[in-house]
């Protein structure tokens, strides 16, 4: 007998119209769709054609209504909607659905008076505070689109996004607080960005924070005090009702990270976004409504924050934790476990990098065990991981801890997705029954088994395949390019903001429109479990063998002393490339030397050789703490490390490297640079460049 998750997925692909029609019935439509799925061909200006599709054509929906009004009208206004927890300011606040509706109605009225209307874009540059969520919902309430930019992005990157989206207004705050670093003023970023752009938003609404205030507002340039506008509107009884939009109209634009060129604006459809997220929060995450609470330890600037801090929990009427802090240092590595205890969190969603940071600071899990032994984690049903590849050692360790301290049957679930997909492409469904009957109380069918190192099986509507470089599908167990058949599930994007040609070139052209290219490499095993090994451009070619950086990292981190590893290719005169590792150890007093002792190095090499094979033997190992650069969403920036090492091979230790605007901490690059230089002073003779290059 097949598992319910397999049956649900099969139904979603074999008869997508009936499957998604059933899911759409759970939401309120201002106008019911005429059809569920329409498939056509789109012609571009270049005369290229590519497959096109549309979900819920003819339907009209308000996501804000479904997130807020609907629950208040159903009598759930007293239920908690948002738990705001800010250890960096010492602030806690609970916002009920009725309170949220009140604040969103008034702010939407303010925005309407300030010139925001249906179809307009409003840019949001905010810290993790309640005003940010209220602002996004108010924008949506008017039928406008929001473009959230991570608070703290440099002015040049922010200016790019203003130029690209042409917002009529900007919502911002006087400052953000990045962990223990103290307040950071947003005023210079906003003013410089606006000065750099040809497009000038007519309004900039500023939420003043007491930790660091915005200076004198420049009213001639449209700067306004957010709080004063709201106070005036409330006194005058100004409020705004929901404005429904067409199902295929945009609900938001989110810009994907990149090092150069104009940012890519992924556009999310209103109807598919609401329907797909409403299914996933119950089906995958086990969050069904009042009484459930999800803590998504991300930021609203990332797609994870859009989907699972804000929209999905509120669509189902559950509570969401809005967290302003870090997994370590605010004040220590007990923070996540304390939040689970304080708000009776049922699902935690974070990135492996956060767990590595916690493991590094608390290798014996003393904080988790202390809170767990007091019963503080017994509400937690699952720990979800995404954003980068999860090594099996992390999954296994937390699986054992959850089984001891979490809710009965608690599990660790890896899942894989992207800004483009909008919701997980793969994972293990915590409540597979919800794919058939969302309201059933019979939740007795156990989830599929977890395979450490795998990101689970495909989620409803995503038809995932593995193909070679010519687009020919490979047999199970073979590594290749991960692609998806068209159409994507309803949460998936269908275009880029005002750039259909770039959408075709970036995602469809490589495989002639037959497959949508994810840019990831990996495999699907005989049971249908998907393993994402690396980005397609992170493969290492050693003497004609294609090796995955992710697979080698998995082998390295299976060593009990290794907390984190990043593998890159290093040029080699004999084999073309060799895998080269940066490792951080899980010991309280990290060794200062960049060169690991010979015993540890040989043990790591043995792990790699035994799990991958002799061909994967490492060309070198650099050890150090705080030297692996990451984006703010937790992705390792291998290309930065790769550039540092390639420069070092040629003796160019001080040469500048390219880094993306999404980098979390620029100082890490200099730590890595120093470690690379130290390593090459000792071991440099063992690494010979394939060819000399001109010193420019």
């Amino acid at each position: 007998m097949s598992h319910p998750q397999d049956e649900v997925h099969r139904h979603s692909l074999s008869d997508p119209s009936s499957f998604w029609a059933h899911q759409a019935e759970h939401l309120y439509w201002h106008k019911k769709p005429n059809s569920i799925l329409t498939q056509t061909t789109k012609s571009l200006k270049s005369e290229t054609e590519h497959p096109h599709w549309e979900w819920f054509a003819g339907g009209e929906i308000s996501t804000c209504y479904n997130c807020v009004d609907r629950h208040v009208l159903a009598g759930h206004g007293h239920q908690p909607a948002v738990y705001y927890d800010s250890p960096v300011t010492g602030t806690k606040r609970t916002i009920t659905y009725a309170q949220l509706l009140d604040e969103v109605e008034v702010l939407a009225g303010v925005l309407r008076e300030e010139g925001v209307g249906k179809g307009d874009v409003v840019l949001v540059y905010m810290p993790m505070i309640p005003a940010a969520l209220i602002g996004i919902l108010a924008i949506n309430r008017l039928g406008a689109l929001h473009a959230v930019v991570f608070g703290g992005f440099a002015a040049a990157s922010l200016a790019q996004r203003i130029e690209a989206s042409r917002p009529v207004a900007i919502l911002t705050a006087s400052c953000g607080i990045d962990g223990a670093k103290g307040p950071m003023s947003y005023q210079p970023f906003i003013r410089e960005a606006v000065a750099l752009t040809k497009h000038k938003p007519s309004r900039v609404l500023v939420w003043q924070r007491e930790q660091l205030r915005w200076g004198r507002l420049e009213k001639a340039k449209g700067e306004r005090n957010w709080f004063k506008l709201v106070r005036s509107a409330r006194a005058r009884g100004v409020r705004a009702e929901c404005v429904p939009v067409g199902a295929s109209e945009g609900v938001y634009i989110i810009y994907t990270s990149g090092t150069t060129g104009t940012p890519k604006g992924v556009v999310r459809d209103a109807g598919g976004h609401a329907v797909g997220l409403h299914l996933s929060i119950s089906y995958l995450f086990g969050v069904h409504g009042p009484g459930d609470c999800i803590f998504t330890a991300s930021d609203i600037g990332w797609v994870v924050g859009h989907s699972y801090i804000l929209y999905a929990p509120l669509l189902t009427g559950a509570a969401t934790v809005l967290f302003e802090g870090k997994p370590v240092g605010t004040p220590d590595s007990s923070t996540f476990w304390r939040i689970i205890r304080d708000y009776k969190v049922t699902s935690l969603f974070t990135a492996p990098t956060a767990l590595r940071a916690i493991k590094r600071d608390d290798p014996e899990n003393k904080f988790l065990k202390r809170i767990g032994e007091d019963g503080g984690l017994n509400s937690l049903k699952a720990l979800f991981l995404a954003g980068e590849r999860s090594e099996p050692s992390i999954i296994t360790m937390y699986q054992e801890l959850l089984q001891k301290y979490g809710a009965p049957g608690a599990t660790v679930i890896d899942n894989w997705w992207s800004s483009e997909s909008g919701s997980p492409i793969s994972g293990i469904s915590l409540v597979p029954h919800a794919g058939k009957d969302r309201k059933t109380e019979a939740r007795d069918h156990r989830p599929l088994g977890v395979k450490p190192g795998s990101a689970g099986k495909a989620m409803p509507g995503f038809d995932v395949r593995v193909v070679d470089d010519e687009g020919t599908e490979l047999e199970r167990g073979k590594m290749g390019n991960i692609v998806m058949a068209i159409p994507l599930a309803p949460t998936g994007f269908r275009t880029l903001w005002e750039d259909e040609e770039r959408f075709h070139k970036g995602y469809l052209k490589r495989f002639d429109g037959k497959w949508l290219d994810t840019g990831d490499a990996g495999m699907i095993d005989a049971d249908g479990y998907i393993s994402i090994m690396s980005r397609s451009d992170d493969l290492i070619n050693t003497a004609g063998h294609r090796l995955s950086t992710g697979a080698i990292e998995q082998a390295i981190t299976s060593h009990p002393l290794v907390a984190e590893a990043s593998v890159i290719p290093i040029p080699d005169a004999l084999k073309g490339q060799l895998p080269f590792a940066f490792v951080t150890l899980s010991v309280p007093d990290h060794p200062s030397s960049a060169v690991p002792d010979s015993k540890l190095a040989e043990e790591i090499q043995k792990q790699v050789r035994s799990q991958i094979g002799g061909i994967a033997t490492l060309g070198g190992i650099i050890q150090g703490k705080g030297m692996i650069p990451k984006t703010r969403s937790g992705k390792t920036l291998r290309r930065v490390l790769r550039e540092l090492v390639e420069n070092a091979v040629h003796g160019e230790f001080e040469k500048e490297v390219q880094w993306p605007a999404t980098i979390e901490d620029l100082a890490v690059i200099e730590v890595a640079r120093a470690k690379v230089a130290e390593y090459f002073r000792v071991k440099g003779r063992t690494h010979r460049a394939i060819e000399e290059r001109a010193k420019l």
Side-chain angles (χ1 to χ4, degrees):
M1 184 178 174
S2 62
H3 190 276
Q5 179 169 340
D6 294 324
E7 293 171 11
V8 166
H9 185 250
R10 197 177 302 118
H11 181 193
S12 75
L13 298 187
S14 64
D15 190 357
S17 290
S18 72
F19 181 84
W20 292 108
H22 173 64
Q23 306 307 329
E25 290 171 358
H26 299 304
L27 296 176
Y28 179 81
W29 293 82
H30 287 76
K31 182 183 176 186
K32 298 277 187 181
N34 300 326
S35 65
I36 303 303
L37 173 62
T38 308
Q39 293 187 265
T40 57
T41 299
K42 179 170 278 192
S43 297
L44 306 180
K45 291 179 181 177
S46 61
E47 298 185 357
T48 304
E49 292 187 340
H50 70 77
H52 186 64
W53 68 98
E54 183 178 356
W55 291 103
F56 312 113
E60 293 185 0
I61 194 168
S62 166
T63 306
C64 181
Y65 183 91
N66 278 283
C67 283
V68 189
D69 304 59
R70 185 167 63 101
H71 306 305
V72 175
L73 292 170
H76 301 309
H78 63 289
Q79 294 286 350
V82 180
Y83 292 119
Y84 173 51
D85 192 295
S86 172
V88 297
T89 62
T91 307
K92 293 183 180 182
R93 180 185 172 196
T94 299
I95 303 171
T96 66
Y97 274 94
Q99 291 168 332
L100 185 61
L101 175 60
D102 174 65
E103 297 210 34
V104 170
E105 280 182 319
V106 176
L107 181 58
V110 167
L111 293 177
R112 187 177 57 196
E113 286 191 331
E114 296 299 314
V116 177
K118 182 179 179 181
D120 288 335
V121 175
V122 178
L123 189 137
V124 178
Y125 185 86
M126 295 283 290
M128 292 287 283
I129 59 176
L133 299 191
I134 292 163
I136 292 170
L137 287 167
I139 294 163
N140 183 275
R141 193 172 190 84
L142 296 177
L145 293 83
H146 57 79
V148 181
V149 178
F150 180 85
F153 253 28
S157 298
L158 177 57
Q160 275 189 321
R161 286 148 178 80
I162 294 172
E163 198 72 57
S165 62
R166 300 189 308 280
V168 299
I170 295 176
L171 301 188
T172 190
S174 57
C175 69
I177 303 173
D178 187 15
K181 296 178 184 176
M184 174 176 64
S185 176
Y186 283 178
Q187 179 180 306
F189 293 130
I190 294 288
R191 286 184 174 172
E192 184 181 344
V194 172
L196 287 170
T197 61
K198 295 176 185 175
H199 175 82
K200 307 296 181 185
S202 61
R203 287 288 180 270
V204 177
L205 270 63
V206 180
W207 182 270
Q208 294 281 17
R209 302 188 75 185
E210 61 184 37
Q211 289 78 21
L212 182 63
R213 297 183 69 79
W214 188 287
R216 183 185 296 275
L217 293 168
E218 295 183 349
K219 293 198 172 182
K221 294 184 179 179
E223 293 180 0
R224 298 289 186 271
N225 184 305
W226 181 329
F227 177 77
K228 287 183 178 178
L229 290 177
V230 167
R231 184 175 60 186
S232 169
R234 187 178 293 281
R236 292 180 289 115
V238 173
R239 292 174 182 267
E241 291 300 314
C242 290
V243 177
V245 299
S248 57
E249 292 183 61
V251 65
Y252 68 74
I253 308 164
I254 187 165
Y255 288 96
T256 59
S257 59
T259 52
T260 58
T262 55
K264 290 188 296 187
V266 168
V267 184
R268 193 80 59 220
D269 287 353
H273 170 253
V275 174
L277 286 185
H278 191 248
L279 169 65
S280 71
I281 193 71
S282 177
Y283 177 75
L284 177 62
F285 294 97
V287 174
H288 310 284
D292 289 329
C293 177
I294 187 169
F295 170 29
T296 302
S298 181
D299 188 280
I300 57 166
W302 312 127
V303 69
V304 174
H306 281 54
S307 294
Y308 297 105
I309 295 176
L310 175 55
Y311 284 116
L314 299 186
L315 280 167
T316 201
T320 183
V321 176
L322 179 68
F323 172 64
E324 187 183 31
K326 298 280 187 181
V328 297
T330 59
D332 53 40
S333 50
S334 70
T335 299
F336 277 16
W337 321 127
R338 189 266 303 167
I339 286 175
I340 292 168
R341 178 196 66 200
D342 289 357
Y343 304 110
K344 295 183 171 52
V345 170
T346 51
S347 288
L348 167 63
F349 189 9
T350 189
T353 189
L355 297 186
R356 293 188 200 111
I358 293 170
K359 180 184 176 186
R360 187 183 64 226
D361 279 24
D362 184 15
E364 297 176 11
N365 292 299
K366 291 178 181 177
F367 286 125
L368 185 152
K369 290 174 181 175
R370 187 190 72 204
I371 291 174
E373 284 164 3
D374 289 340
L377 305 179
N378 58 18
S379 63
L380 189 66
K381 297 174 183 176
L383 164 57
F384 292 88
L385 299 174
E388 57 179 316
R389 195 163 188 277
S390 305
E391 61 270 28
S393 58
I394 279 273
I395 291 175
T396 302
M397 181 181 79
Y398 281 99
Q399 182 66 67
E400 291 173 358
L401 291 165
L402 254 65
Q403 286 176 351
K404 186 171 184 180
Y405 299 113
T411 188
V412 179
I413 295 175
D414 195 2
N415 61 108
W416 161 63
W417 53 307
S418 64
S419 297
E420 290 85 349
S421 71
S423 67
I425 300 167
S426 73
I428 299 295
S429 168
L430 199 60
V431 185
H433 308 71
K436 296 180 176 182
D437 181 4
R438 186 182 176 89
K439 297 179 181 178
T440 181
E441 293 297 322
R443 296 170 186 159
D444 54 350
H445 206 298
R446 290 182 61 82
L448 286 165
V450 171
K451 291 187 180 184
S454 158
K457 290 191 176 186
M459 288 288 103
F462 289 110
D463 187 357
V464 184
R465 313 286 182 95
V466 178
V467 302
D468 63 17
D469 289 342
E470 282 68 52
T472 303
E473 193 167 356
L474 298 173
E475 61 185 77
R476 293 287 176 95
K478 295 280 188 182
M479 193 171 79
N481 303 293
I482 304 275
V483 298
M484 290 186 285
I486 290 169
L488 301 187
T491 56
F493 77 146
R494 298 184 302 129
T495 189
L496 295 173
W497 177 249
E498 297 183 341
D499 204 341
E500 191 73 32
E501 295 279 355
R502 192 175 182 185
F503 169 72
H504 173 261
K505 183 179 178 181
Y507 299 95
L508 295 174
K509 184 178 179 180
R510 183 183 179 192
F511 297 113
D512 297 322
K514 183 178 181 182
W515 310 112
L516 187 137
D517 185 17
T518 67
D520 284 311
M523 63 182 181
I524 302 175
D525 73 9
D527 298 319
Y529 283 75
I530 300 166
S531 291
I532 308 299
M533 308 308 291
S534 59
R535 295 293 291 174
S536 299
D537 55 4
D538 280 332
L539 294 174
I540 299 173
N541 197 322
T542 300
H545 295 266
R546 296 175 78 192
L547 302 173
S548 158
T549 55
I552 301 171
E553 288 167 0
Q554 175 176 313
I556 295 170
T557 53
S558 65
H559 189 288
L561 287 180
V562 178
E564 185 174 12
S566 181
V567 171
I568 58 159
I570 186 172
D572 181 73
L574 178 63
K575 296 184 178 180
Q577 292 178 328
L578 287 174
F580 189 91
F582 289 76
V583 301
T584 299
L585 306 183
S586 58
V587 292
D589 299 314
H590 202 287
S592 59
S593 172
V595 180
D597 69 59
S598 57
K599 180 174 181 291
L600 175 62
E602 182 49 40
E603 287 175 358
I604 291 173
Q605 290 281 22
K606 186 177 179 182
Q607 296 284 103
V608 173
R609 286 192 292 266
S610 65
Q611 294 185 35
I612 311 279
I615 191 65
T617 298
L618 298 172
I621 304 170
I622 294 178
Q623 71 178 7
K625 187 176 181 180
M627 66 171 178
I628 298 178
K630 294 184 175 67
T631 66
R632 293 185 179 96
S633 60
K635 290 184 174 66
T636 300
L637 291 169
R638 292 188 187 90
R639 62 183 176 272
V640 173
L641 296 175
R642 180 174 180 170
E643 209 172 324
L644 286 170
V645 168
E646 286 180 351
N647 291 342
V649 167
H650 292 85
E652 300 169 346
F653 298 107
E654 297 304 317
K655 188 174 181 179
E656 284 300 305
V657 298
Q658 295 294 311
W659 45 270
T662 51
I663 193 167
E664 182 178 32
D665 187 355
L666 260 179
V668 173
I669 294 179
E670 295 311 311
V671 175
R673 187 192 300 278
K675 287 292 179 184
V676 168
E678 181 189 342
Y679 171 89
F680 272 82
R681 280 197 296 271
V682 179
K683 296 275 193 177
R685 288 188 303 276
T686 64
H687 301 290
R688 289 182 295 129
I690 299 170
E691 58 185 25
E692 286 298 313
R693 64 186 183 189
K695 300 248 189 327
L696 300 176

